Amino acid sequence: MRLSKKVVYQLYPKSFKDTTGNGMGDLRGIIEKLDYLAGLGIDLIWLNPFYPSPQHDNGYDISDYCAIDPAFGTMADFEELVAEAGKRDIGLMLDMVLNHVSTEHEWFKKALAGDPKYQAYFYLRPAKADGSLPTNWESKFGGPAWERFGKTDLYYLHLYDVTQADLDWHNPQVRQELHQVVNFWRQKGVKGFRFDVLNVIGKSEELVDSQAPGSSQEKSLYTDTPIVHTWIRELNQATFGQDQEIVTVGEMSSTTIENGISYTNPKDQELSMIFSFHHLKVDYENGEKWSNPAFDFIELKRILDEWQTGMSDGQGWNALFFNNHDQPRSNNRFGDVVNYPYQTQTLLATVTHLLRGTPYIYQGEEIGMTNPGYQELTQYNDVETHNNYQIMRDKGYSHEKAMTIIQAKSRDNSRTPMQWDGTTHAGFTKATPWLEVASNYPTINVEKELAEGKIYTYYQELIRLRKDYDVISDGTYSGLFLDHPSIMGFVREYEGQQLLVLGHFYDGNVEIELPQAFRGRTATKLIGNGPVQYADRLTLGAYEAVAFLFETE
């Protein structure tokens, strides 16, 4: 099956299904629920890290790349998961965290013990002459990006948590080690790889101060540098590029369309597709994540249109998503989960699945799971959340203001356990879950959704349509209504068919007149979450979405 027909389901193993009673999800829990996932019609399951880890950053601090953390199961469990998923025509996509390792990793421990070979695996630098840190860079999790290297006079770079030491990709031995990691999992039958923060691997060998710590100028010192493309091509040729069926996606923070094209244009032999995040920053105040303004709808449309057009023009390929493990639930951000839960979730799904690219479903969105709305800071586990709570308090924010922002923006909003049924802890575990289940689980859960809901079946239909209609999987893209205050619209076109997609992102009704090119024609309503039918002038209700299919004349 070609890439454009595929749909990926992301699940967070720690929060999916616990079968051992330790309060954490595990591999056998995924095996148990494969029929549920197969029922959606998905092609790949992206699993967040399940490798051995101290869990300072929920598994993104890896201490052994080629093993299974006992909390998740055994290698035999993983091999069974590969086999059972394969029986259902589902491949596994693994998370590769190749920018950094845990400070508990054998490589870092050997470096600390004085082994020069492994010290060369990391960015180790002395303090400046005045005793200050090697550079003024800030960690993305808050605070300085440098920490003293044991009892030496050196410091190690950590763009993320202090327990996540950045690997020096300039060292060819490091790159070869990482190639071996990818090939190890290829040999286990893995069909896809998602590469974490891949566009920040290209730090310079000579690191310099930024003009403004934490700024976009600082990020430019280590993000999307030319050598990243060189190293990804090398990774491609040494590993997954040897199998044309493998699907890859790179997480590309703060990237550009130009780089996105280079990463994904097939002729460049780098990746299948990328995640870009600009459209999920439209509710940031002055670019600051830890804020809580209303989202900018016009800007959301502008960014999506710019990326759809730019990537299409350059033969690049987008990963399509509004949700993942690092983002709060999109239905809370862009809709009304109290009054219009079905309409909100299916509106966002319609847009995601009918744009040009490969759609991703994040666990629970197919049943309408929401942010948990925790009331206490102690209910949050996420290191970034706790660090930024303190930063906000140091800025003078009240506890109440800081908590309101955390309730909207914490990564834990999407990491709450999967809500399977209405029993205690939503059927996720019989023990105390590692993270509290959202309190609305008695009304939002898989059992109830499959029995009487409409969201899951809507997702099934979107996936089926992608496989049945080339206009969805392979059509061109054109934006419509880009300046309209409440309507998002676009057209897909392919070999004699046009698909007109409309979505109303607000409460109430709105009347619109279709562009002249679509008036007075015969149209088929392909999918929609409300009653609207084709007409030259039509009225969309609250959070209503619809797609009309036209045969070109």
Side-chain angles (χ1 to χ4, degrees):
M1 183 191 301
R2 60 185 185 268
L3 176 67
S4 60
K5 293 288 186 184
K6 293 182 184 293
V7 177
V8 185
Y9 186 98
Q10 180 195 358
L11 66 80
Y12 201 66
K14 197 172 181 179
S15 293
F16 196 63
K17 184 68 172 72
D18 173 25
T19 63
T20 64
N22 68 355
M24 283 174 47
D26 48 63
L27 297 179
R28 299 219 66 82
I30 301 169
I31 294 171
E32 180 184 307
K33 298 297 184 180
L34 280 174
D35 286 340
Y36 167 77
L37 298 175
L40 268 176
I42 60 160
D43 304 287
L44 287 161
I45 299 172
W46 159 24
L47 306 172
N48 292 92
F50 48 73
Y51 318 103
S53 166
Q55 295 290 322
H56 293 296
D57 187 24
N58 281 304
Y60 283 87
D61 48 325
I62 296 172
S63 56
D64 186 343
Y65 281 118
C66 297
I68 308 293
D69 192 310
F72 292 107
T74 66
M75 189 61 75
D77 292 331
F78 178 78
E79 291 166 351
E80 183 179 341
L81 174 58
V82 172
E84 288 299 319
K87 290 176 184 177
R88 295 161 176 82
D89 295 320
I90 296 173
L92 297 188
M93 173 183 280
L94 298 197
D95 220 317
M96 294 283 107
V97 187
L98 306 185
N99 174 70
H100 48 259
V101 294
S102 167
T103 51
E104 295 298 312
H105 195 287
E106 179 184 31
W107 300 342
F108 194 81
K109 287 181 175 180
K110 287 183 175 180
L112 274 177
D115 189 327
K117 171 184 174 180
Y118 289 99
Q119 288 184 347
Y121 278 32
F122 301 95
Y123 284 92
L124 304 182
R125 299 290 187 270
K128 294 175 184 169
D130 64 2
S132 60
L133 294 173
T135 71
N136 61 351
W137 295 6
E138 286 189 359
S139 161
K140 291 173 181 285
F141 286 176
W146 294 94
E147 181 69 16
R148 186 176 291 275
F149 182 64
K151 297 179 180 179
T152 72
D153 292 331
L154 300 174
Y155 292 81
Y156 68 89
L157 177 67
H158 63 92
L159 287 183
Y160 296 89
D161 188 62
V162 67
T163 64
Q164 293 166 304
D166 280 50
L167 291 165
D168 187 348
W169 277 62
H170 291 280
N171 183 340
Q173 287 185 298
V174 168
R175 302 199 304 276
Q176 289 164 12
E177 294 261 27
L178 298 176
H179 297 168
Q180 290 173 17
V181 169
V182 175
N183 284 330
F184 173 86
W185 292 108
R186 281 181 58 214
Q187 291 164 9
K188 292 288 182 183
V190 168
K191 298 300 182 185
F193 295 99
R194 179 264 187 185
F195 294 100
D196 185 64
V197 298
L198 191 59
N199 63 331
V200 303
I201 59 174
K203 279 84 70 175
S204 175
E205 291 181 279
E206 182 178 352
L207 306 179
V208 298
D209 276 348
S210 69
Q211 297 170 8
S215 68
S216 57
Q217 183 274 331
E218 177 175 302
K219 292 176 182 176
S220 72
L221 297 174
Y222 57 75
T223 304
D224 284 334
T225 58
I227 202 166
V228 173
H229 294 282
T230 301
W231 287 339
I232 294 177
R233 283 192 293 273
E234 180 185 82
L235 177 65
N236 177 312
Q237 291 160 15
T239 63
F240 57 82
Q242 298 170 19
D243 182 348
Q244 294 304 307
E245 295 302 309
I246 287 183
V247 176
T248 55
V249 56
E251 181 190 31
M252 303 297 184
S253 175
S254 303
T255 194
T256 62
I257 293 171
E258 180 183 10
N259 276 298
I261 292 168
S262 294
Y263 290 130
T264 62
N265 187 318
K267 71 177 177 62
D268 290 325
Q269 296 186 312
E270 295 188 32
L271 301 169
S272 306
M273 67 190 105
I274 63 163
F275 291 116
S276 65
F277 298 91
H278 302 282
H279 66 295
L280 293 177
K281 298 178 181 180
V282 295
D283 55 357
Y284 289 16
E285 188 171 347
N286 298 320
E288 170 57 53
K289 169 182 175 175
W290 297 95
S291 58
N292 192 27
F295 80 99
D296 186 333
F297 179 58
I298 299 296
E299 182 67 358
L300 174 66
K301 292 195 292 183
R302 185 194 67 77
I303 293 170
L304 288 174
D305 179 75
E306 184 176 66
W307 274 84
Q308 284 282 300
T309 302
M311 291 287 272
S312 178
D313 289 348
Q315 302 304 307
W317 197 251
N318 288 298
L320 306 171
F321 70 106
F322 277 108
N323 293 292
N324 69 27
H325 65 289
D326 281 334
Q327 299 291 332
R329 294 278 180 181
S330 63
N331 51 0
N332 283 89
R333 297 173 83 169
F334 303 121
D336 183 343
V337 298
V338 175
N339 299 301
Y340 301 100
Y342 164 73
Q343 291 85 349
T344 291
Q345 190 64 67
T346 51
L347 163 68
L348 293 168
T350 302
V351 171
T352 302
H353 286 254
L354 299 184
L355 284 169
R356 179 182 179 276
T358 296
Y360 284 67
I361 301 167
Y362 179 72
Q363 70 175 41
E365 72 171 81
E366 77 280 6
I367 63 168
M369 281 179 61
T370 68
N371 292 348
Y374 295 150
Q375 297 299 305
E376 303 295 333
L377 183 63
T378 53
Q379 293 175 283
Y380 292 89
N381 173 277
D382 177 36
V383 60
E384 183 192 33
T385 298
H386 285 272
N387 287 352
N388 279 280
Y389 172 81
Q390 192 57 53
I391 290 170
M392 287 188 283
R393 296 288 279 134
D394 291 345
K395 288 180 178 178
Y397 290 20
S398 68
H399 168 75
E400 290 74 21
K401 181 177 180 180
M403 284 302 299
T404 296
I405 293 171
I406 284 171
Q407 287 165 351
K409 293 294 175 64
S410 172
R411 299 189 299 179
D412 277 345
N413 284 317
S414 60
R415 297 176 178 183
T416 57
M418 185 70 174
Q419 294 164 206
W420 292 106
D421 57 40
T423 62
T424 304
H425 305 313
F428 162 70
T429 182
K430 293 181 180 177
T432 300
W434 76 277
L435 190 64
E436 286 184 42
V437 177
S439 60
N440 59 13
Y441 74 87
T443 56
I444 300 176
N445 62 68
V446 169
E447 185 177 66
K448 188 177 179 69
E449 176 65 26
L450 294 183
E452 58 191 61
K454 298 184 293 182
I455 299 174
Y456 182 89
T457 55
Y458 196 93
Y459 273 78
Q460 286 178 310
E461 183 66 4
L462 282 168
I463 294 169
R464 184 190 68 78
L465 291 172
R466 169 169 292 269
K467 298 184 189 311
D468 288 350
Y469 288 88
D470 290 348
V471 69
I472 295 173
S473 59
D474 297 283
T476 60
Y477 162 91
S478 304
L480 291 177
F481 299 107
L482 295 176
D483 296 321
H484 195 285
S486 65
I487 292 290
M488 180 181 290
F490 55 90
V491 179
R492 308 291 309 284
E493 189 164 357
Y494 187 82
E495 292 187 353
Q497 291 187 325
Q498 290 176 306
L499 187 73
L500 171 64
V501 183
L502 301 168
H504 180 213
F505 271 69
Y506 292 92
D507 196 356
N509 295 332
V510 62
E511 184 178 291
I512 59 168
E513 187 170 48
L514 296 186
Q516 183 65 47
F518 293 99
R519 296 180 207 162
R521 295 173 61 185
T522 300
T524 301
K525 182 176 178 178
L526 209 56
I527 193 168
N529 64 1
V532 70
Q533 298 296 324
Y534 169 71
D536 290 355
R537 182 179 291 274
L538 47 81
T539 300
L540 293 174
Y543 302 98
E544 187 169 0
V546 67
F548 296 117
L549 182 68
F550 299 83
E551 302 294 335
T552 55
E553 298 170 354

